[in-house]
Amino acid sequence: MAPAFEPVPVPKDTEIQTETPHDTSNTVNNDAQVDYKSRVTVVGSGNWGSVAAKLIASNTLKLNSFHDEVRMWVFEETLQCGEKLTDVINRTNENVKYLPGIKLGKNVIADPDLENAVKDANMLVFVTPHQFMEGICKRLVGKVRGDAEAISLIKGMEVKMEGPCMISTLISENLGINCSVLMGANIANEIAVEKFSEATVGYRDKREIAEQWVRLFSTPYFVVTPVQDVEGVELCGTLKNVVAIAAGFVDGLDMGNNTKAAIMRIGLREMIAFSKLLFSSVRDSTFFESCGVADVITTCLGGRNRKVADAFAKNGGKRSFDELEAEMLQGQKLQGVSTAREVYEVLSHRGWLELFPLFATVHEICVGRLPPSAIVEHSERKPKLPLFYSVS
């Protein structure tokens, strides 16, 4: 049975008018000529980055307003066979370390040189562990096109002296370009084998740019919806990993589905309250998109944060997350543990710890101040004020 969804109508490729200069060097067939072709670079080549490149590459071959070639920046590694990862990707059309068995598309070109990978691109897709983004942005200052548009698929945030900084804001402020976000109930390996999934693009004020990103990512099995709420969409993608850590503790202690459902509900409540306290512009309706409740569900059921937290709890917290990550994820990075720490720093600085008992408890368990079993005891720590929010 086909999924019951109603895709948002998106203008056909030929209806989009880009704001970039006319380039007469790029032409297509006489019956489908366009004035300008966008170039896309994916910054990142892990599990999700490789899937993003696959999605995008399948569409650039079909859409007249895009160059066929998709550059993918790869943090260079030497594989056990002695070959460089980029060489293997370009020879086999497969990321054998982070997405084995999946062909990316022959128009995906792996490039180990970050500056070279982005220099000609006017559409930049950022998809790396969030803890690396500040360094990447510093390397790219003055190296990207002034007319470039960016989109972040990154879950996480930076905490600075002046407060929390979303990754989209970090990109915009460092590189001087507009940055949208894409988040959703997206387990990369399932999308890689073309199982049906949805995602949400969060944009600020340029609807036509949002529609361009929708076209670039959308496939029959990956349906993307635009929402004018960058912070709301991005915070959903960021905070759900903290809830997934909590769900993993519940699984590891074999507490059952009732407990897990309660943790997910409380976690979603804290996600909404935290997001709206940080940004009054966040919309309630955003939490009912794929980036919201759907992403909470799928990450708590099958994501890597849940998986490693499960193992952490089974070991009674005696093995660190760093150790378990290295053993279980083959080079991939957890986001939930570092995000829990960053959220805790914000809560502590602003005096909000008692308002968010689940978020606070997850961090305290991760650093060893509380045992994993404390995840169900947090509800006895009544906040001083109720977490009121309205759903319109």
Side-chain angles (χ1 to χ4, degrees), residues 279-325:
F279 299 99
S280 60
S281 62
V282 168
R283 299 180 176 184
D284 294 312
S285 58
T286 298
F287 296 90
F288 295 93
E289 299 289 343
S290 177
C291 63
V293 62
D295 200 6
V296 172
I297 293 169
T298 196
T299 310
C300 289
L301 295 180
R304 72 183 69 156
N305 290 278
R306 187 222 63 81
K307 177 182 177 181
V308 179
D310 182 325
F312 181 89
K314 278 185 168 70
N315 285 279
K318 295 177 182 178
R319 298 184 66 194
S320 71
F321 273 99
D322 286 342
E323 180 184 356
L324 292 167
E325 175 190 87

Side-chain angles (χ1 to χ4, degrees), residues 117-391:
V118 305
K119 68 178 182 180
D120 295 323
N122 65 310
M123 300 192 76
L124 300 173
V125 180
F126 289 92
V127 52
T128 69
H130 79 277
Q131 54 265 42
F132 300 148
M133 271 308 299
E134 188 163 20
I136 289 172
C137 284
K138 287 179 179 178
R139 290 175 60 185
L140 291 180
V141 171
K143 304 296 173 53
V144 302
R145 289 173 46 160
D147 64 346
E149 287 284 337
I151 192 165
S152 171
L153 280 61
I154 299 166
K155 285 84 173 177
M157 61 184 178
E158 294 284 336
V159 178
K160 302 180 181 297
M161 290 294 293
E162 59 272 23
C165 175
M166 305 311 299
I167 298 300
S168 63
T169 303
L170 185 73
I171 293 168
S172 292
E173 291 182 348
N174 278 271
L175 304 183
I177 59 177
N178 181 56
C179 187
S180 305
V181 297
L182 183 145
M183 307 283 160
N186 306 142
I187 293 178
N189 288 339
E190 294 183 7
I191 301 169
V193 295
E194 304 187 1
K195 294 182 178 180
F196 178 79
S197 183
E198 296 178 312
T200 309
V201 164
Y203 70 98
R204 295 199 184 281
D205 51 13
K206 297 181 181 179
R207 174 75 183 201
E208 67 275 14
I209 296 301
E211 290 168 347
Q212 197 166 5
W213 288 121
V214 168
R215 273 195 304 282
L216 192 59
F217 280 94
S218 292
T219 70
Y221 61 89
F222 191 71
V223 176
V224 184
T225 303
V227 172
Q228 193 173 11
D229 184 3
V230 170
E231 283 77 19
V233 173
E234 191 168 9
L235 278 164
C236 281
T238 296
L239 298 172
K240 55 94 178 186
N241 284 326
V242 181
V243 183
I245 294 286
F249 294 153
V250 169
D251 286 345
L253 296 172
D254 198 24
M255 292 179 173
N257 291 327
N258 293 342
T259 304
K260 190 170 181 177
I263 290 296
M264 291 164 66
R265 183 197 67 80
I266 294 167
L268 181 61
R269 182 183 69 178
E270 293 196 6
M271 285 172 57
I272 296 171
F274 184 79
S275 299
K276 298 189 76 170
L277 280 174
L278 285 183
F279 299 99
S280 60
S281 62
V282 168
R283 299 180 176 184
D284 294 312
S285 58
T286 298
F287 296 90
F288 295 93
E289 299 289 343
S290 177
C291 63
V293 62
D295 200 6
V296 172
I297 293 169
T298 196
T299 310
C300 289
L301 295 180
R304 72 183 69 156
N305 290 278
R306 187 222 63 81
K307 177 182 177 181
V308 179
D310 182 325
F312 181 89
K314 278 185 168 70
N315 285 279
K318 295 177 182 178
R319 298 184 66 194
S320 71
F321 273 99
D322 286 342
E323 180 184 356
L324 292 167
E325 175 190 87
E327 177 183 301
M328 300 175 68
L329 299 185
Q330 290 79 50
Q332 298 179 68
K333 292 294 182 182
L334 285 177
Q335 298 300 305
V337 175
S338 54
T339 300
R341 181 186 67 248
E342 291 153 355
V343 169
Y344 192 90
E345 290 176 11
V346 174
L347 298 180
S348 181
H349 179 72
R350 300 198 177 190
W352 294 347
L353 280 173
E354 292 192 39
L355 295 177
F356 297 89
L358 180 65
F359 285 171
T361 300
V362 168
H363 172 69
E364 289 166 359
I365 293 172
C366 289
V367 298
R369 288 205 290 266
L370 291 173
S373 59
I375 198 62
V376 295
E377 297 164 5
H378 81 280
S379 59
E380 297 175 5
R381 296 164 48 192
K382 300 295 184 183
K384 292 179 179 178
L385 298 171
L387 293 175
F388 286 122
Y389 61 88
S390 62
V391 178

Side-chain angles (χ1 to χ4, degrees), residues 74-89:
V74 176
F75 180 77
E76 190 65 283
E77 301 177 58
T78 301
L79 302 175
Q80 289 185 341
C81 64
E83 286 190 86
K84 299 291 187 184
L85 179 56
T86 50
D87 292 338
V88 175
I89 293 173

Side-chain angles (χ1 to χ4, degrees), residues 33-160:
Q33 184 168 334
V34 293
D35 289 338
Y36 182 82
K37 285 191 174 186
S38 293
R39 289 184 179 271
V40 184
T41 290
V42 178
V43 179
S45 58
N47 186 238
W48 185 212
S50 297
V51 173
K54 176 183 186 289
L55 289 167
I56 292 166
S58 70
N59 284 326
T60 59
L61 291 175
K62 302 171 186 174
L63 300 174
N64 293 325
S65 58
F66 294 93
H67 278 276
D68 289 353
E69 181 183 285
V70 175
R71 289 260 156 187
M72 181 174 72
W73 174 64
V74 176
F75 180 77
E76 190 65 283
E77 301 177 58
T78 301
L79 302 175
Q80 289 185 341
C81 64
E83 286 190 86
K84 299 291 187 184
L85 179 56
T86 50
D87 292 338
V88 175
I89 293 173
N90 288 330
R91 176 170 56 80
T92 66
N93 190 227
E94 183 180 324
N95 189 334
V96 295
K97 180 167 184 180
Y98 296 110
L99 195 67
I102 302 296
K103 296 300 181 183
L104 303 180
K106 293 183 178 179
N107 52 324
V108 175
I109 306 299
D111 191 337
D113 185 325
L114 177 60
E115 294 177 15
N116 185 67
V118 305
K119 68 178 182 180
D120 295 323
N122 65 310
M123 300 192 76
L124 300 173
V125 180
F126 289 92
V127 52
T128 69
H130 79 277
Q131 54 265 42
F132 300 148
M133 271 308 299
E134 188 163 20
I136 289 172
C137 284
K138 287 179 179 178
R139 290 175 60 185
L140 291 180
V141 171
K143 304 296 173 53
V144 302
R145 289 173 46 160
D147 64 346
E149 287 284 337
I151 192 165
S152 171
L153 280 61
I154 299 166
K155 285 84 173 177
M157 61 184 178
E158 294 284 336
V159 178
K160 302 180 181 297

